Every structure is written in C-alpha cells, then in structure tokens.
Amino acid sequence: VGGDEEFIVEILQLYMDSSGPDVDALCKAAESGRFEDVLRLAHTIKGASGNVGADAMMEMASRVEQAAKDEDAERVKLEASRVQSLFQTTVERIQQRLEGPT
C-alpha cells in the first residue's frame, strides 16, 4: 500500500469489523455440525487474514477448512475454538498497532 498509513488503518479496521462476525458464525456452525457453512466461513476468514498479513489466523482457518472437508466434527469444533481465541489475540495486536507506541 506504499506506506499509506490512513489506508492501512482503514483495511485493518475493516478486517476486524468483518471477520469478528464471521468467527462467531464459524463457531456456531462448528457446534451445529454444519460442515458446508464451516467450510465457507473458514475459507472467508483465511482469505481476509491473508490479505492483512495475519498469517497465524490464515493457517488456523486453513486447519478448520480441512477439518470441515474431512467432516471431522470434533476437530472442527476444536479448531474453531482455536480460531476464536487467536482472533481475539489478533484484534488486540491490531489495536496496539493502531494506537501506536505508548
């Protein structure tokens, strides 16, 4: 983005605003065993995370996606809960980045 700080802030804010509901929906779909929904949401989260450089989130979403493809309900639930926890950490780090040095 060529160092355009305002654009970077806008993209990170959009990621947090849009991915939060997706993570929540992913967890609900995982608990309900709706593999198609899990697959779609995990893929969306994976792409969005990759776009902002949240590589750990991208990898974790990929694990959920694979578990959904395998229709492994227990693994889907486990990995979805890990995505939720990691997303919270990721948001905290983004917010620290946006606030700048203290």
Side-chain angles (χ1 to χ4, degrees):
V1 294
D4 184 344
E5 191 66 26
E6 189 174 307
F7 184 65
I8 292 169
V9 168
E10 186 177 325
I11 294 298
L12 290 174
Q13 191 62 54
L14 180 63
Y15 171 74
M16 291 187 298
D17 292 346
S18 65
S19 294
D22 286 343
V23 169
D24 291 341
L26 174 74
C27 290
K28 288 177 185 171
E31 284 299 317
S32 299
R34 297 187 324 262
F35 295 119
E36 248 181 66
D37 291 341
V38 170
L39 188 60
R40 178 182 51 78
L41 289 159
H43 187 77
T44 298
I45 293 165
K46 181 176 76 173
S49 297
N51 287 338
V52 298
D55 295 339
M57 275 294 297
M58 185 176 67
E59 175 62 32
M60 191 63 65
S62 181
R63 290 181 191 174
V64 176
E65 190 176 30
Q66 186 58 54
K69 286 178 184 176
D70 296 342
E71 295 189 1
D72 184 337
E74 289 306 310
R75 201 167 97 227
V76 164
K77 288 178 192 176
L78 175 65
E79 298 295 353
S81 71
R82 289 178 176 165
V83 165
Q84 188 172 45
S85 177
L86 183 59
F87 183 71
Q88 292 170 355
T89 301
T90 302
V91 166
E92 289 170 8
R93 289 189 179 153
I94 290 171
Q95 288 172 336
Q96 289 171 351
R97 158 72 165 83
L98 296 178
E99 292 169 2
T102 53

